[in-house]
Amino acid sequence: MRRGLYLVTPDWDDTKHLIAVSRAAIEGGATVLQYRHKTASPALRLEQAGALRTLTRELGAFFIVNDDLELALAVAADGLHAGRDDGEVAALKTASNGRLEIGVSCYNDFDRARAAHAAGADYVAFGAMYASPTKPHAPSAPVELISRARRELGARVACIGGITADNAAPLVEAGADWVAVISDIYQAADPRAQAERIARLFHP
């Protein structure tokens, strides 16, 4: 996984539009795309994840599925992102025969990040870094968690929550390997240009 902009998909049922905006953002420099659609039917999730897998393979982006090991394996994803109730890292690694990189949501909990990293997580994720329209009640995570996880654990770190092209710089400066963005890309008038703004923070 290359450092940079980490796309997370919105809950869109329109697969054609989802693919078009995702393509523009990856062409603008996004290095990772996570498929997340909590309200979709199993059939739609399989359709969209499969289409995004094809897109990310074409454009050379790393493809992650949120929370669903079976779906990640079905579409030959590169990774799985696990939340609080999605299983232990070691068990997920075993279940995927080591085929998937595993990222773990750690919210604002450094001890959870320490445990996940020790168990073999490929990256830990903190958030919400800022007020998030997607998860308005998510606990706030201080930016210091990023540098602490890098310094004390040697972990690779993603961060999420209300991140935009206008406020991502302090997170990159603190050592974030990835900044995860939903609304600022998928609601942008020009998703490619917005992605380019964030990608430039990693490669000025």
Side-chain angles (χ1 to χ4, degrees):
M1 290 174 66
R2 292 176 291 123
R3 299 178 70 239
L5 170 58
Y6 181 137
L7 301 172
V8 181
T9 60
D11 289 344
W12 286 355
D13 292 343
D14 185 339
T15 303
K16 184 177 180 180
H17 187 44
L18 178 67
I19 296 300
V21 177
S22 298
R23 174 181 289 278
I26 296 171
E27 289 175 344
T31 62
V32 180
L33 186 147
Q34 180 192 127
Y35 176 61
R36 179 183 185 277
H37 190 334
K38 295 291 191 179
T39 61
S41 68
L44 180 59
R45 285 169 58 80
L46 183 60
E47 172 196 329
Q48 292 187 332
L52 290 167
R53 168 72 285 189
T54 299
L55 176 71
T56 52
R57 187 176 282 123
E58 174 194 341
L59 298 181
F62 198 89
F63 182 57
I64 293 174
V65 169
N66 178 273
D67 289 356
D68 189 333
L69 175 63
E70 183 178 342
L71 180 61
L73 293 174
V75 299
D78 299 307
L80 176 75
H81 188 85
R84 197 185 306 276
D85 303 313
D86 298 318
E88 298 300 321
V89 174
L92 294 171
K93 290 271 191 180
T94 299
S96 70
N97 292 318
R99 287 167 47 196
L100 300 175
E101 292 198 15
I102 307 296
V104 177
S105 289
C106 299
Y107 314 102
N108 60 357
D109 186 343
F110 186 79
D111 289 337
R112 178 174 170 82
R114 188 196 307 277
H117 181 68
D122 294 284
Y123 69 89
V124 297
F126 295 114
M129 308 311 300
Y130 306 109
S132 168
T134 304
K135 293 187 176 182
H137 304 297
S140 177
V143 68
E144 291 78 13
L145 285 173
I146 299 170
S147 53
R148 185 181 176 193
R150 292 293 302 272
R151 182 179 66 252
E152 295 186 23
L153 305 178
R156 304 188 83 189
V157 180
C159 48
I160 193 168
I163 300 171
T164 70
D166 293 326
N167 64 22
L171 309 177
V172 179
E173 291 164 5
D177 293 283
W178 301 278
V179 292
V181 179
I182 306 174
S183 300
D184 197 53
I185 297 294
Y186 284 94
Q187 301 295 336
D190 187 339
R192 178 169 181 156
Q194 201 72 341
E196 288 172 346
R197 289 183 63 198
I198 299 174
R200 278 197 298 268
L201 297 173
F202 291 89
H203 306 286

